[in-house]
Amino acid sequence: MTDSFDVLVVGAGPGGYVAAIRCAQLGLNTACIDNQVNHKEEPALGGTCLNVGCIPSKALLESTEQYHKLIHSFPAHGIKTTKASVDVPTMQKRKESIVEGLTSGIAQLFKANNVISIHGFGRLTMDNTVNVLDKNGKISRTLLARHIILAPGSMPSHLPTIPFDHEFVVDSTGALNFEKVPKRLGIIGAGVIGLELGSVWNRLGSEVTLLEALDDFLALADHQVAAEAKRQFAKQGMNIHLGAQVNKLSKSRTGLAIHYTEKEKESSIDVDRVVVAIGRRPATEGVVSADSGVGVDDRGFIQVDDECRTNVPNVWAIGDAVRGPMLAHKSSEEGMAVAERIAGGKPHVNLNIVPWVIYTSPEIAWVGLTEKQLQDAGHDIRVGSFPFAATGRARAMEEPNGFIKMIADARTDRLLGVHMVGPHVSELINECVLAMEYQASSEDLARTIHAHPSLSEAIHEAALAVDKRAIHRVN
């Protein structure tokens, strides 16, 4: 028996489940296929983000930051404790509870919106047909749809010379599930994932070493933001080696030895566990059969146009599996947009104004272009910055580190990029995203009243500083 739908979504991550719900809201008969399971081996919607990525990592980051503040920050407030301890299994149970609550919430949303949820692996074949494969790889159902949205997401990249054993050598998923704090933790990769995972275990007492192959720290971020972040991480005790090319692992007398080359010199460190966090790749293997006709490049990305259309009529692709940043919120917006295009609408997604956030402490966030990118492109710019140390709220919070940097076009004053490192910048960045979406100028933000005392005053002052008229710092 072949079931037929208006829209069939392959993948129930932040792109897929949002697309499915929006399609259903628009009156389209919609089904969503996904093969994710939780730690109980039960079907779980939400994809990597909710199950083994964004949400569990933020839960652990929040728990460990509270512990770190208890030890290092609370005494300055006059709050002291003795014999503080960490119960990692309880921390993990809290994480799983949060994940289960959110994933079950998506199941309820599917039910409320009449989205049909189908568990299995979806594979697109010819003529808008999708085969549903069970865990043994056998076809359990065949589905037809007028429109198909491919949202398979991404998966951790691996190093051929560093195989996972899922106990001592793990990927990001494994690093979220440690039941005890490793005494020495080696992390291969100092990008977003490596820094967040390193922060979790460093706060709990692990001796963390990050080995980054690139010579630049956080190459995607503004150079001043990256430099300040690196300085703060070093103060926290994280050891970051740049230009460190990992060659192999071997057993050592006390655990594992990571052998790497740094500045043409062979070195090694002994650790108890290794996390490979070198990025992510599209999880498109097996999703698109050769006879489907859908174009996939040599890196596994499904080829799409600016509206997420593939080269096959009525087949769309979104999220981590296509061009653009691998960010959950980008995936969701593309899912919304495709649903509305299918229904005849004209939605808007601007991939040039997508916020980036790293949930370390201090947090790091940015939107738009960096100063170097603009200079390299020949833009005439003006730059203003303001430190959190000059704001009363950050001082009162005992979190004075970091700053906000604002870049505007020298002629038109239009905002071109805003870069932040400091407390709660994951929330502050959104004011600047909105401003840039509406093509605001730095003067627009400078003339906007911000509450006092608040962290957002730093945005106001950075905007004033673009014109060299900041009030609470020397220009």
Side-chain angles (χ1 to χ4, degrees):
M1 179 180 177
T2 302
D3 295 317
S4 183
F5 300 92
D6 292 328
V7 180
L8 189 57
V9 183
V10 179
Y17 83 73
V18 168
I21 290 172
R22 186 65 184 129
C23 283
Q25 288 176 343
L26 292 166
L28 299 166
N29 180 24
T30 306
C32 184
I33 308 166
D34 192 83
N35 68 333
Q36 181 81 44
V37 295
N38 61 21
H39 66 289
K40 300 176 183 177
E41 294 299 314
E42 299 169 338
L45 301 172
T48 291
C49 181
L50 267 70
N51 286 278
V52 293
C54 317
I55 301 306
S57 64
K58 303 314 166 282
L60 290 182
L61 280 162
E62 182 64 27
S63 294
T64 57
E65 185 168 2
Q66 296 302 323
Y67 175 73
H68 189 267
K69 285 182 177 180
L70 176 65
I71 303 300
H72 299 281
S73 299
F74 283 9
H77 293 272
I79 303 170
K80 298 181 181 180
T81 186
T82 58
K83 298 182 180 179
S85 63
V86 172
D87 185 339
V88 175
T90 297
M91 199 177 286
Q92 293 288 13
K93 286 179 183 177
R94 174 183 177 273
K95 176 199 75 176
E96 295 299 342
S97 176
I98 292 169
V99 169
E100 288 177 14
L102 290 171
T103 56
S104 63
I106 296 173
Q108 293 169 11
L109 288 170
F110 271 16
K111 186 176 180 179
N113 287 281
N114 296 315
V115 175
I116 296 173
S117 181
I118 300 170
H119 184 68
F121 184 89
R123 175 175 294 165
L124 175 68
T125 61
M126 63 179 65
D127 301 325
N128 285 27
T129 300
V130 173
N131 290 328
V132 181
L133 281 61
D134 62 22
K135 63 181 180 180
N136 297 314
K138 295 182 179 180
I139 297 175
S140 60
R141 297 177 68 175
T142 299
L143 309 172
L144 289 172
R146 290 194 301 112
H147 291 270
I148 294 169
I149 303 174
L150 301 174
S154 61
M155 60 194 301
S157 297
H158 66 278
L159 291 168
T161 57
I162 313 292
F164 297 122
D165 64 12
H166 303 293
E167 182 178 3
F168 298 105
V169 184
V170 301
D171 59 14
S172 56
T173 301
L176 290 170
N177 293 322
F178 292 158
E179 285 296 322
K180 63 179 182 179
V181 181
K183 184 177 179 181
R184 302 164 302 175
L185 180 63
I187 300 179
I188 302 173
V192 176
I193 297 171
L195 288 170
E196 290 187 354
L197 292 172
S199 293
V200 166
W201 299 109
N202 175 67
R203 292 168 184 168
L204 298 182
S206 184
E207 182 183 321
V208 175
T209 301
L210 297 106
L211 302 171
E212 170 58 54
L214 297 178
D215 293 323
D216 295 324
F217 180 67
L218 287 178
L220 288 175
D222 179 85
H223 68 285
Q224 289 177 314
V225 165
E228 172 64 13
K230 187 173 184 292
R231 188 174 71 86
Q232 294 298 328
F233 297 147
K235 284 176 63 177
Q236 294 167 17
M238 287 200 285
N239 302 306
I240 301 173
H241 295 260
L242 301 177
Q245 187 69 47
V246 174
N247 303 316
K248 65 177 182 178
L249 297 182
S250 67
K251 289 185 178 180
S252 69
R253 186 174 58 84
T254 59
L256 291 170
I258 306 177
H259 302 269
Y260 62 97
T261 304
E262 182 178 9
K263 296 179 181 178
E264 300 183 353
K265 179 182 177 182
E266 300 294 326
S267 302
S268 68
I269 56 167
D270 282 1
V271 297
D272 299 297
R273 285 190 166 178
V274 176
V275 179
V276 179
I278 59 170
R280 299 184 65 82
R281 57 192 173 94
T284 51
E285 186 175 351
V287 172
V288 178
S289 66
D291 58 8
S292 72
V294 171
V296 180
D297 69 19
D298 56 4
R299 295 185 299 159
F301 287 97
I302 298 171
Q303 296 174 315
V304 295
D305 64 12
D306 291 342
E307 295 188 340
C308 292
R309 303 174 191 270
T310 71
N311 58 308
V312 175
N314 297 334
V315 176
W316 313 72
I318 61 174
D320 288 3
V322 302
R323 79 288 176 270
M326 286 185 170
L327 298 170
H329 41 283
K330 174 259 195 185
S331 302
S332 295
E333 290 303 314
E334 286 181 333
M336 292 268 285
V338 166
E340 291 171 8
R341 287 187 185 109
I342 289 172
K346 295 182 179 180
H348 165 82
V349 177
N350 186 351
L351 293 182
N352 294 317
I353 307 179
V354 177
W356 290 72
V357 179
I358 306 176
Y359 294 87
T360 49
S361 183
E363 291 184 342
I364 304 163
W366 69 89
V367 61
L369 298 174
T370 67
E371 182 177 358
K372 185 177 186 305
Q373 287 170 332
L374 290 164
Q375 289 173 338
D376 290 347
H379 277 281
D380 189 11
I381 58 176
R382 296 190 302 162
V383 180
S385 65
F386 193 80
F388 281 105
T391 68
R393 184 66 190 279
R395 289 278 191 177
M397 293 168 60
E398 199 66 24
E399 295 190 50
N401 297 313
F403 59 88
I404 292 177
K405 178 177 179 177
M406 195 170 292
I407 309 171
D409 185 277
R411 183 178 64 85
T412 66
D413 195 38
R414 180 175 173 178
L415 287 174
L416 301 175
V418 183
H419 308 269
M420 308 178 178
V421 54
H424 301 293
V425 297
S426 60
E427 305 297 335
L428 296 178
I429 193 66
N430 293 294
E431 176 183 352
C432 301
V433 175
L434 183 64
M436 290 181 65
E437 186 64 56
Y438 283 95
Q439 302 183 20
S441 63
S442 73
E443 183 69 14
D444 289 324
L445 286 179
R447 290 178 178 270
T448 300
I449 298 174
H450 290 70
H452 173 78
S454 69
L455 295 174
S456 66
E457 287 181 287
I459 294 175
H460 185 224
E461 290 274 3
L464 288 167
V466 170
D467 196 38
K468 293 184 171 54
R469 65 181 201 271
I471 300 300
H472 293 93
R473 70 163 297 181
V474 177
N475 290 285

